[in-house]
Amino acid sequence: MAHHSKIYTPKKEEEYIAPFGPVMGYKKMSPSFLRKMNELMSPDLEDWSDSLVGKVKQELRFSEEIEKLWLNEFSHFIGRFHNYVEYRHSFGRDKLDTENNNYGIQIASGWFVRQFENEYNPLHIHTGSRMSCVGYLALPKGIDKEWEEDYKDHHPANGHIQFVHGTPSGYSQTNFMVKPQVGDFYIFPAELFHCVYPFKTKGERRSFSVNFSFVEVPKEKTVDK
């Protein structure tokens, strides 16, 4: 990847630019992946709660089978996302050099999050990787009624995930609230602060997270003899 300074040159009469801040990605999960993940989520998986900050019932570590399933579902999307970010942050100068490099994804850790009523996940970041993600597998039955009431309030948050970055200033956004929906998947920089608020509806809000890095490996050059 190029490491030269990113120098901006306007190309149009008018442009809107966003040169600062982290980039996030969104994808809808395939129905087959969603079904398989719910089938593989088992209380028999290693309980990893002591290594994580969540104030939730269970956080269960991925098996190798689940990691492979996750890679198969998202590897191409993550590559496209990384390529977009490189292009955006270099103002159109950088993109993946597939002629000289191979690219792949290195998983640091992955786990299911089983959150029930009145539980929550405090403000935190992820460590040990460059990127992280969240995907939603199940929601408590009837939580839409709770959200309908919560949305009447001036600041709805029940069961939502909130991302936070930067210092408040004019023409700048410092927080991003997301309503979880089954099948939704988001990727984001691992150091991006985020938290999950509690909810009141009885039942399970099931999600997963994976910490990973997008890696670049130079191709071996063959020498003609």
Side-chain angles (χ1 to χ4, degrees):
M1 299 176 195
H3 296 288
H4 51 71
S5 297
K6 313 304 184 187
I7 300 173
Y8 173 69
T9 303
K11 298 179 178 63
K12 301 177 182 178
E13 288 290 322
E14 291 186 9
E15 294 185 21
Y16 303 109
I17 59 173
F20 307 109
V23 181
M24 295 180 61
Y26 167 81
K27 183 181 181 355
K28 179 66 75 174
M29 294 184 264
S30 68
S32 60
F33 173 79
L34 183 63
R35 181 179 63 255
K36 189 66 174 176
M37 286 291 279
N38 277 315
E39 289 173 356
L40 292 173
M41 199 294 297
S42 167
D44 295 331
L45 293 169
E46 178 188 354
D47 192 337
W48 215 34
S49 301
D50 289 343
S51 301
L52 303 165
V53 302
K55 305 293 186 180
V56 299
K57 181 176 181 178
Q58 281 185 322
E59 293 176 294
L60 303 170
R61 193 167 189 174
F62 279 8
S63 64
E64 288 187 12
E65 178 185 6
I66 298 170
E67 287 185 355
K68 290 178 181 177
L69 179 69
W70 181 89
L71 278 170
N72 187 61
E73 176 77 2
F74 297 113
S75 57
H76 291 297
F77 168 67
I78 291 167
R80 292 192 299 271
F81 170 80
H82 183 91
N83 198 34
Y84 166 78
V85 174
E86 287 292 300
Y87 187 84
R88 175 184 184 268
H89 285 176
S90 66
F91 306 114
R93 294 176 63 181
D94 291 346
K95 57 183 179 180
L96 298 186
D97 181 5
T98 54
E99 182 177 344
N100 295 304
N101 300 305
N102 289 317
Y103 298 92
I105 297 166
Q106 189 174 64
I107 294 177
S109 54
W111 63 98
F112 293 101
V113 180
R114 304 189 69 201
Q115 178 183 352
F116 289 79
E117 64 272 16
N118 302 315
E119 298 179 339
Y120 63 97
N121 218 318
L123 188 69
H124 65 286
I125 63 170
H126 292 187
T127 58
S129 66
R130 295 193 63 197
M131 299 167 69
S132 193
C133 68
V134 60
Y136 296 103
L137 301 174
L139 292 169
K141 185 177 180 180
I143 197 170
D144 283 329
K145 291 183 178 179
E146 178 179 344
W147 281 338
E148 185 178 344
E149 286 300 312
D150 191 33
Y151 273 44
K152 295 176 182 178
D153 185 73
H154 68 287
H155 191 88
N158 292 8
H160 288 36
I161 186 170
Q162 186 171 24
F163 298 89
V164 183
H165 176 79
T167 302
S169 62
Y171 298 98
S172 178
Q173 178 72 6
T174 57
N175 74 81
F176 177 53
M177 187 85 77
V178 172
K179 178 182 180 180
Q181 294 289 284
V182 173
D184 284 354
F185 174 80
Y186 297 88
I187 56 177
F188 51 91
E191 299 89 352
L192 184 62
F193 274 106
H194 57 287
C195 66
V196 177
Y197 293 97
F199 54 89
K200 302 173 184 177
T201 306
K202 289 189 177 298
E204 181 179 357
R205 178 192 187 276
R206 180 183 299 169
S207 63
F208 66 83
S209 288
V210 180
N211 292 335
F212 61 96
S213 296
F214 188 83
V215 295
E216 172 187 276
V217 180
K219 292 181 179 178
E220 293 186 7
K221 302 295 183 182
T222 56
V223 180
D224 295 330
K225 295 182 179 180

